[in-house]
Amino acid sequence: MSLPTRRALVTSLLVSSFALVGAVVTAPTAGAATTAVPAASCTVTPSPDGTSVTISGEGFTPPRKLNDGESTQDLNVDASGHFLLKRFQKNAAYTVLAVREDQPFVFVNCKVVKSGTGTGTTTPTPPGNDRGDRGERDKGRTDGRQAGLAAAAKNCDNSPVAKKDQSHGNAYWQAWQQAADHAFDNACNKG
């Protein structure tokens, strides 16, 4: 085979390979329209009292390790790719590391989220232990009543709306809204 013929053959094979790879990569598979491969993610949620953090992740293949800048520990990643742990350490930048080189998502930096925003993982209150919710409801009622009276003093046309920029639970915000509406309606003679 002559050199120009060999070059033409190699060039056409390379062009065909790139075209085929591009077609395979861009062609949707049967399940691709309904399910996408999830990206691995990790979140750090500080506790409301600031004494600990809850670290959660999803989309990881085991084995994995967690690094906090000073130490590394093994993570217990379940079969669905999730993990959850609590650490009594604050102000650390957490990173999830792969153990093997062939694992996807070699390192993933954990994102810090505010507690009570719903984007992080929260620990549910055990049944029969509603002291935390009771305190939240009482505080919500007090704050809501003040907000309702303040809104009525400004203008009886606009009822109070909660600015949920503070980290409180659902019990607080429900009590806040009820108390704010009640105080507003009474002050504006709407009730």
Side-chain angles (χ1 to χ4, degrees):
M1 188 181 295
S2 70
L3 186 60
T5 307
R6 195 177 310 162
R7 265 193 207 141
L9 179 62
V10 170
T11 303
S12 67
L13 284 174
L14 285 172
V15 169
S16 299
S17 296
F18 285 124
L20 182 58
V21 169
V24 169
V25 169
T26 59
T29 61
T34 56
T35 59
V37 176
S41 65
C42 173
T43 58
V44 178
T45 309
S47 64
D49 62 4
T51 60
S52 65
V53 294
T54 300
I55 306 164
S56 62
E58 62 183 353
F60 291 100
T61 54
R64 293 290 171 156
K65 293 191 178 282
L66 180 71
N67 182 285
D68 63 9
E70 294 178 8
S71 64
T72 302
Q73 79 177 72
D74 292 332
L75 281 174
N76 185 14
V77 179
D78 65 18
S80 64
H82 292 81
F83 69 86
L84 178 69
L85 69 117
K86 186 173 185 175
R87 301 266 312 254
F88 293 98
Q89 181 178 358
K90 305 177 287 179
N91 302 326
Y94 294 96
T95 303
V96 178
L97 304 171
V99 174
R100 299 186 315 258
E101 291 181 12
D102 64 340
Q103 290 177 289
F105 312 112
V106 176
F107 67 92
V108 175
N109 292 323
C110 298
K111 178 183 174 186
V112 178
V113 295
K114 291 182 181 179
S115 60
T117 62
T119 54
T121 305
T122 58
T123 306
T125 303
N129 182 8
D130 66 343
R131 281 190 354 210
D133 281 348
R134 189 176 307 141
E136 284 284 284
R137 279 193 297 272
D138 292 342
K139 177 87 170 115
R141 283 188 199 104
T142 302
D143 293 349
R145 183 176 181 280
Q146 291 172 353
L149 293 173
K154 288 181 183 176
N155 185 348
C156 281
D157 294 332
N158 298 325
S159 59
V161 178
K163 294 180 183 175
K164 296 185 179 182
D165 56 349
Q166 299 173 6
S167 59
H168 290 289
N170 287 337
Y172 173 89
W173 292 114
Q174 288 172 354
W176 186 97
Q177 193 64 56
Q178 290 172 349
D181 289 343
H182 184 71
F184 178 82
D185 289 345
N186 282 345
C188 292
N189 296 321
K190 293 186 177 191

